Amino acid sequence: SLFQLFVARMSGHSVSQLTPTAQVGSEATRIFMTRSSSRKVTIASVIVDKTIEFLAVVALTIVGVILIFYQIPLPTKLKTIFVGGVAVAALLLLFIISKQKKGILGWVLNIISKLKIRLKIVEQNREKIEETDQHISNFYQNHRGPFLVSFLLYCLLILLWVTEVHLGLIFIGVT
């Protein structure tokens, strides 16, 4: 239910604010607090959600860098660093999404296997991990509309934060 998701999100938020685990603790809490019929679906949804959030941040960072270039005269070296940083983030994001479409968890498992790393928990749960991978891949293949809506909502959330900061400045007398 929406209320259960609210409880899970707020619990995760409190963990990320009160512990040094940052987002990792937040997302793990969200996974454990969500009462879903399938933990695999919950994990897949959190992975997709974080990816879409990262996509929105990268997209708005690109917009921000463009605005900086128009508003502030910067040395060429600094402009190059900005463009390079955004390009690396965008390429990393595109790589992650392409891997998620094909099975990112399986890809990670293959790398672990090639490195001759044996993790008992991974071996015991390989089938569950692969099923989670299928849920992630299925989302990208069959739910493009919800993907776009989620992306736009994340962008809106960031813009609402900007509005909140703007109103705070107005309330304290900054014009």
Side-chain angles (χ1 to χ4, degrees), residues 98-113:
S98 75
K99 288 297 180 186
Q100 286 182 357
K101 287 180 178 180
K102 298 173 187 171
I104 193 166
L105 301 177
W107 177 72
V108 171
L109 291 179
N110 287 338
I111 289 174
I112 290 171
S113 178

Side-chain angles (χ1 to χ4, degrees), residues 4 18 26 30 40 92 95 115 117 133 145 147 163 171 174:
Q4 287 176 331
L18 298 173
S26 167
R30 207 166 81 175
K40 295 171 281 254
L92 176 63
F95 175 77
L115 294 173
I117 299 171
D133 230 0
F147 175 86
T163 303
F171 295 152
V174 177

Side-chain angles (χ1 to χ4, degrees), residues 81-151:
I81 291 170
F82 278 153
V83 170
V86 169
V88 167
L91 289 172
L92 176 63
L93 180 63
L94 291 174
F95 175 77
I96 289 170
I97 290 173
S98 75
K99 288 297 180 186
Q100 286 182 357
K101 287 180 178 180
K102 298 173 187 171
I104 193 166
L105 301 177
W107 177 72
V108 171
L109 291 179
N110 287 338
I111 289 174
I112 290 171
S113 178
K114 287 177 183 176
L115 294 173
K116 307 281 190 232
I117 299 171
R118 298 276 185 246
L119 299 172
K120 190 174 184 180
I121 192 165
V122 170
E123 296 305 319
Q124 291 173 340
N125 293 292
R126 184 177 271 288
E127 194 173 300
K128 292 177 184 176
I129 294 168
E130 289 170 354
E131 190 176 332
T132 301
D133 230 0
Q134 274 301 116
H135 290 297
I136 294 168
S137 179
N138 178 52
F139 176 80
Y140 286 107
Q141 293 173 13
N142 300 313
H143 301 286
R144 291 189 177 134
F147 175 86
L148 180 61
V149 169
S150 186
F151 168 74

Side-chain angles (χ1 to χ4, degrees), residues 21-77:
T21 60
Q23 292 294 323
V24 176
S26 167
E27 304 314 332
T29 302
R30 207 166 81 175
I31 289 167
F32 288 108
M33 294 289 295
T34 302
R35 292 188 178 100
S36 171
S37 59
S38 170
R39 181 80 63 207
K40 295 171 281 254
V41 172
T42 302
I43 292 169
S45 73
V46 169
I47 291 170
V48 169
D49 177 61
K50 293 309 294 180
T51 305
I52 294 170
E53 179 182 358
F54 186 45
L55 177 63
V57 168
V58 168
L60 291 176
T61 299
I62 292 169
V63 171
V65 166
I66 291 168
L67 293 173
I68 287 171
F69 288 173
Y70 282 109
Q71 297 290 319
I72 303 171
L74 296 173
T76 304
K77 186 176 183 179

Side-chain angles (χ1 to χ4, degrees), residues 13 34 79 139 144 160 165:
H13 182 73
T34 302
K79 286 182 179 181
F139 176 80
R144 291 189 177 134
L160 284 172
V165 170

